[in-house]
Amino acid sequence: MDFKVIFKERFLDDLQRIVSRIAIHNPIAARKLGENIIQRGESLSFFPERFPKIRQRPGIRRFIVKKNFKVFYRVELNSQTVEILRCWDGRQGSDLTV
């Protein structure tokens, strides 16, 4: 059974900020990274619980793209949805609230 994937506004803002920052130096790499992150998020429509939970944040899971970019999401089994919550560049520190 497929889940519906919802990209939350904060995630989209995060992704836009990351892609814009990279595009200053390499627009092609920025576009590819953005597309890769979106595709990985969309792939959560099938088996969304495949990535680990975060101990400090119950109900939140995470996957990593290209070693540095962490994507946080929540699976809602009752509504069969996956909410993509945040995207974080791990090189920017740890001041992320999910």
Side-chain angles (χ1 to χ4, degrees):
M1 180 180 298
D2 286 352
F3 284 67
K4 179 179 179 180
V5 176
I6 301 167
F7 294 96
K8 302 301 270 185
E9 193 66 33
R10 285 181 81 180
F11 164 82
L12 296 172
D13 291 344
D14 292 341
L15 186 60
Q16 177 62 42
R17 186 174 51 256
I18 290 168
V19 168
S20 294
R21 189 174 60 244
I22 294 170
I24 292 169
H25 304 289
N26 191 336
I28 294 170
R31 182 180 49 78
K32 286 181 180 179
L33 174 65
E35 290 171 355
N36 189 352
I37 291 171
I38 293 293
Q39 288 172 353
R40 293 278 305 273
E42 289 173 340
S43 78
L44 294 172
S45 67
F46 178 74
F47 191 46
E49 296 178 300
R50 66 181 172 251
F51 295 107
K53 291 181 180 178
I54 299 173
R55 272 187 235 125
Q56 304 89 335
R57 292 185 170 53
I60 304 296
R61 294 177 179 271
R62 172 186 82 191
F63 66 87
I64 299 173
V65 177
K66 301 269 186 188
K67 291 195 283 190
N68 295 311
F69 304 98
K70 301 173 184 179
V71 178
F72 299 89
Y73 69 98
R74 174 177 36 236
V75 178
E76 298 291 342
L77 295 175
N78 293 336
S79 61
Q80 297 288 294
T81 59
V82 176
E83 296 177 329
I84 312 292
L85 305 170
R86 301 293 307 264
C87 184
W88 188 250
D89 183 344
R91 300 170 295 183
Q92 299 300 306
S94 62
D95 287 343
L96 178 70
T97 57
V98 178

